[in-house]
Amino acid sequence: MPNLEGITTAHLQSLQAFKTLLKTSYEPLKSLLLQNFIFALTHFNEISLWLNSKEFKEKYEKENHPYPPLLNPDILNELLLIECDDKQNLKSVLKEQAFKLSKEALAYINANLDYRLIPAEKAWEMNLPLPRRYEFVLVATHGTGSKALGIFFKLCQTIWIECTENGKESFIYFFNCLISYSGYKFLAFQCLPMEYKKLLALITLNVDYLFLVRDPFEIWTSYSNHRIKNDSFNKTININDDLYEALNIFLYLSSWTDKPLRPDENNEDTWMRLDERNMNGRSCAFEGSIIKYSKNCKNVYYIQTKDLYKDRAFETMKYLGKTFSFDVPNSPKLFEEQRIGDLNIFFPRTILFNKKFNLTIEIQTIYMNYDENIFTNIKTLIYPKDGAFFNEIVLLYEKKKMEFLTKFQIEQLVEYFKKFSMTIKERLKIESKNRIKPEDHLKVFQKSSKTRTKLKEIYDREFQFIKTHRPDIVASWKYYQEFEKMCENL
């Protein structure tokens, strides 16, 4: 029974004809009409024309499509080709361009049916496909180097819109972005959202898909070891502070402590769910589901995490630029920067070596900008050449204070930064010992045939496409191949 709240006398004129539409045996359409009862009565003529069209019957009803749109997506996208950011004057702007539009589009204008006038949540309820303002789809799960790839795309003036972990929320975000700006190049999936089947069904533009892939056990290891700066750390280090404590700033998201969560075969939470977002086994293996429910996937391309390493990144981006039609800056060094990792956790830092005169040294990475009119790099003067991160940091000191820097102070700083570098190296050794290795995850499945079977079922389903079309990539996954050998006797 439809919700009659809001029905008016004008709606009653269309009610009898609306009942005729409800006689359909196409259940998804019947549910759609009842869910959008008042809207369907209000715009009955436009909706009835669409639902009785040959295109709708062949493309949706004949195929028993689970998510039929209540309005004609072609007409909505035809109107969207006319640029207008002013919703108040949208109707008049569209009418001025009437000579460019079809008869059906003019009817939509008069009825105020335009992507820009329909709330995103309502568009989801009416199964309206996303506006056709994207050019390809990226699938790059967390732990594959997706953050670095996103930065590389930005360097190429190419911006993605990233999904959330909820299908409806993702649609609303995608929808609002696409109607407000026509410059987004692609939609990005870093996880498999809830309600993903509907979300993928509403991505109807026939486009290429790019997958960034990695050995799934390396992805899990990346989840375990993913780390950030501890918010409680003090950016400024007094020259008399305990360096060991001052540089102990690692926070692992898998455990929210200074050590990563170690896999334990007796505790599923330690290997199937590695952070507060409940990333489970499918979080690093959902490629098959994406392809299965993406009915408009034109071509599938793959790159691997190792293709984003500094010695390959520039060539990889040139390949992607050629494949997906975007310009890449002719500057290999731009793509050599270490985007994430220990370097960016330790730095930037400020060393306060004379509180009385407020004398400080700013340490930052070579990839960060600084004002050369104000600061000078004194690294070669005071930092050991074999010191930690020597080639990737600068030590900045104010130019106007250089003349007051005494020989004795320089000697003090040389000794200080020897200790500073040694302490960083010690911390790196400790962190290296603490971190989880892919073998640690493999051991869990080695000891438990039940969990091994569970995971193999997921991988067999999700890796079916890549095994068929890019067996060379799967063959290069060392730890996955070891897992497969474990499963041979199942």
Side-chain angles (χ1 to χ4, degrees), residues 370-386:
Y370 66 91
D371 191 334
E372 294 184 2
N373 293 317
I374 297 176
F375 294 101
T376 185
N377 180 14
I378 61 171
K379 176 177 67 176
T380 56
L381 184 64
I382 59 175
Y383 199 82
K385 290 185 178 180
D386 60 348

Side-chain angles (χ1 to χ4, degrees), residues 4-200:
L4 300 179
E5 184 179 347
I7 194 167
T8 65
T9 305
H11 291 139
L12 296 177
Q13 299 174 8
S14 304
L15 190 56
Q16 195 59 42
F18 178 83
K19 290 179 180 179
T20 303
L21 289 179
L22 285 177
K23 292 179 181 179
T24 179
S25 60
Y26 181 21
E27 289 299 326
L29 175 57
K30 187 182 294 185
S31 298
L32 181 69
L33 288 167
L34 291 173
Q35 185 181 2
N36 296 277
F37 177 64
I38 298 297
F39 186 91
L41 288 179
T42 304
H43 302 287
F44 182 79
N45 291 336
E46 294 77 23
I47 289 173
S48 177
L49 184 65
W50 163 238
L51 298 182
N52 287 300
S53 69
K54 180 180 178 182
E55 181 185 355
F56 179 86
K57 292 187 178 300
E58 289 186 354
K59 191 172 182 181
Y60 296 98
E61 191 168 350
K62 184 180 177 181
E63 298 297 324
N64 197 32
H65 193 291
Y67 306 106
L70 197 57
L71 297 172
N72 188 337
D74 290 340
I75 303 301
L76 292 171
N77 281 285
E78 181 183 350
L79 294 173
L80 197 58
L81 291 174
I82 299 175
E83 297 280 351
C84 180
D85 297 327
D86 183 2
K87 289 184 180 182
Q88 297 294 327
N89 296 310
L90 177 61
K91 189 172 182 177
S92 59
V93 171
L94 292 174
K95 283 189 172 182
E96 288 173 3
Q97 303 293 322
F99 66 94
K100 297 180 180 179
L101 300 170
S102 63
K103 181 180 177 181
E104 292 85 353
L106 292 175
Y108 272 46
I109 293 173
N110 290 325
N112 289 320
L113 296 175
D114 184 286
Y115 267 134
R116 288 159 288 197
L117 299 177
I118 299 172
E121 188 165 354
K122 187 64 179 175
W124 171 264
E125 292 172 0
M126 296 193 297
N127 297 337
L128 299 185
L130 286 170
R132 299 169 190 163
R133 282 181 159 181
Y134 52 95
E135 296 181 33
F136 65 97
V137 172
L138 170 73
V139 181
T141 178
H142 298 283
T144 56
S146 54
K147 181 177 179 181
L149 182 60
I151 295 172
F152 292 160
F153 274 123
K154 285 181 181 179
L155 292 173
C156 302
Q157 305 300 310
T158 301
I159 306 172
W160 72 29
I161 320 172
E162 182 183 331
C163 78
T164 70
E165 293 179 10
N166 179 283
K168 182 179 178 180
E169 289 177 2
S170 297
F171 176 89
I172 291 171
Y173 179 61
F174 285 164
F175 186 93
N176 287 329
C177 287
L178 292 170
I179 63 169
S180 63
Y181 178 60
S182 60
Y184 291 107
K185 197 78 172 179
F186 58 100
L187 311 178
F189 286 81
Q190 291 191 285
C191 60
L192 191 69
M194 294 180 288
E195 299 181 281
Y196 69 92
K197 294 179 183 178
K198 180 173 181 177
L199 176 61
L200 292 171

Side-chain angles (χ1 to χ4, degrees), residues 139-149 160 162 189-191 212-226 274-275 277 279 283-284 286 304-306 308-309 340:
V139 181
T141 178
H142 298 283
T144 56
S146 54
K147 181 177 179 181
L149 182 60
W160 72 29
E162 182 183 331
F189 286 81
Q190 291 191 285
C191 60
L212 173 59
V213 295
R214 188 180 193 180
D215 186 319
F217 288 92
E218 291 183 350
I219 294 176
W220 273 12
T221 304
S222 178
Y223 290 167
S224 299
N225 293 329
H226 186 59
L274 294 167
D275 68 15
R277 290 174 293 185
M279 288 184 173
S283 65
C284 61
F286 53 82
Q304 299 195 71
T305 301
K306 63 185 179 182
L308 301 179
Y309 293 168
I340 54 177

